[in-house]
Amino acid sequence: MVRAISTLVGLAFVGVLALALFFTAKDAIQNPAPEAAEHEFHLHPRDAALSSAGYFGTFDRRQVQRGFQVYKEVCAACHSLKYVAFRDLKEIGYTEAEVKAIANQWVIEQPSINPDTGEATTRKNVASDHFPSPFANEVAARAANNNALPPDLSLMTKARHDGANYVFSLVGKGAYRPQPAELVEKFPGAKTPEGLHYNPYFANLNIAMPPPLTSDGQVTYTDGTAATHDQMAKDVAAFLTWTAEPKLESRHAAGFASVIFIAIFCFLAWGAYQNVWRDVKH
């Protein structure tokens, strides 16, 4: 008796779920959701053509250093790199002395405590310190950015789809543009709000960040490279690719070595099989 009741209850539950699924599917077919402006006007990221892309990619250290210069002079005023230490810069070609100088001369100092008074103070950065946040806390960050919170850039190229190309496109030439009249005509409610900026590479088309790169030559590269708008965008994308995955080259090398090992192992296993069963007639 108990088994029969349990079976009936189970069948009733399955029936209710089936009816709910049927009516939901029917409603979705008969009354499809209105097309969103993001779907029609959002653009796929442009290809930055970085040397680190692909299965055998490696970092162009001169480019990564240029990207660090762009971050330092343009992005660091709002965006943090909390997972990167100054000493990590040695991996992209800076000497120990250069790293110490960069840390010591960094505009934002480390928070500290005065040992004599116990009051909050600051101290110079050292190579072992992580890059300090430009803001004391989230409240201060929002207050300085029209209530928008600038994201940490350490892992940005891993946190966004097609990350390096996304960063390059988002800040590259032509990314910030007037909102198309066609968009406003078709989607009146999608007009860019006051204080935001239209950018077709951003998820919802409207971004709080003002254009970070505004003109050619905004940064003067120490290696003499012409600092065009797209060059600066490409270089900072290369730098953020490195911050997100500094071991990319060793990972690629390990993967390549593993494939070679597996190929040799399979050949040896096949040879052993042939040797063991060579006298057996099929």
Side-chain angles (χ1 to χ4, degrees):
M1 185 64 180
V2 174
R3 180 175 295 178
I5 294 174
S6 300
T7 302
L8 290 175
V9 170
L11 290 174
F13 181 72
V14 172
V16 170
L17 288 178
L19 287 174
L21 178 62
F22 171 77
F23 286 112
T24 300
K26 179 181 178 182
D27 183 66
I29 295 172
Q30 294 179 344
N31 304 295
E35 186 178 9
E38 294 89 338
H39 295 160
E40 184 172 343
F41 290 89
H42 183 268
L43 298 182
H44 187 75
R46 295 186 291 152
D47 184 11
L50 298 180
S51 62
S52 56
Y55 296 114
F56 305 102
T58 57
F59 290 118
D60 179 344
R61 278 162 173 71
R62 289 184 60 188
Q63 182 177 48
V64 176
Q65 288 186 17
R66 292 197 303 268
F68 169 65
Q69 190 177 346
V70 175
Y71 167 77
K72 177 182 178 181
E73 298 184 21
V74 179
C75 310
C78 296
H79 296 279
S80 58
L81 279 180
K82 63 182 180 181
Y83 296 118
V84 183
F86 288 101
R87 62 187 174 192
D88 295 334
L89 295 177
K90 289 191 290 185
E91 297 180 19
I92 61 174
Y94 288 102
T95 65
E96 186 173 349
E98 288 173 328
V99 169
K100 289 181 179 179
I102 290 171
N104 184 67
Q105 296 167 7
W106 198 257
V107 175
I108 304 163
E109 297 185 341
Q110 292 287 339
S112 184
I113 299 293
N114 188 318
D116 298 324
T117 64
E119 296 180 352
T121 183
T122 58
R123 62 168 176 80
K124 294 287 187 180
N125 295 284
V126 296
S128 58
D129 287 325
H130 285 67
F131 282 84
S133 172
F135 304 104
N137 50 49
E138 180 178 334
V139 175
R142 290 186 181 278
N145 292 278
N146 197 26
N147 204 39
L149 180 64
D152 180 81
L153 297 183
S154 306
L155 305 175
M156 184 55 65
T157 59
K158 302 295 286 185
R160 298 292 184 269
H161 173 67
D162 204 9
N165 294 333
Y166 167 80
V167 171
F168 166 64
S169 303
L170 188 73
V171 300
K173 191 171 183 178
Y176 287 82
R177 61 184 74 174
Q179 191 176 40
E182 180 187 355
L183 186 154
V184 180
E185 292 174 2
K186 191 169 183 179
F187 305 96
K191 185 177 180 180
T192 300
E194 188 71 25
L196 299 184
H197 307 271
Y198 180 77
N199 189 320
Y201 298 104
F202 192 63
N204 67 359
L205 306 180
N206 300 309
I207 187 171
M209 179 178 67
L213 301 175
T214 55
S215 62
D216 294 345
Q218 187 172 343
V219 172
T220 302
Y221 284 135
T222 56
D223 66 358
T225 300
T228 63
H229 192 140
D230 266 359
Q231 183 66 56
M232 291 184 289
K234 185 178 296 188
D235 292 343
V236 77
F239 173 67
L240 294 180
T241 300
W242 171 77
T243 64
E245 195 169 7
K247 302 300 181 185
L248 176 142
E249 292 174 323
S250 59
R251 180 173 62 83
H252 284 179
F256 181 70
S258 298
V259 170
I260 296 298
F261 171 79
I262 292 172
I264 294 174
F265 176 80
C266 289
F267 177 77
L268 293 176
W270 177 81
Y273 170 82
Q274 294 294 324
N275 184 61
V276 169
W277 296 97
R278 66 180 184 278
D279 296 328
V280 178
K281 294 183 178 180
H282 296 287

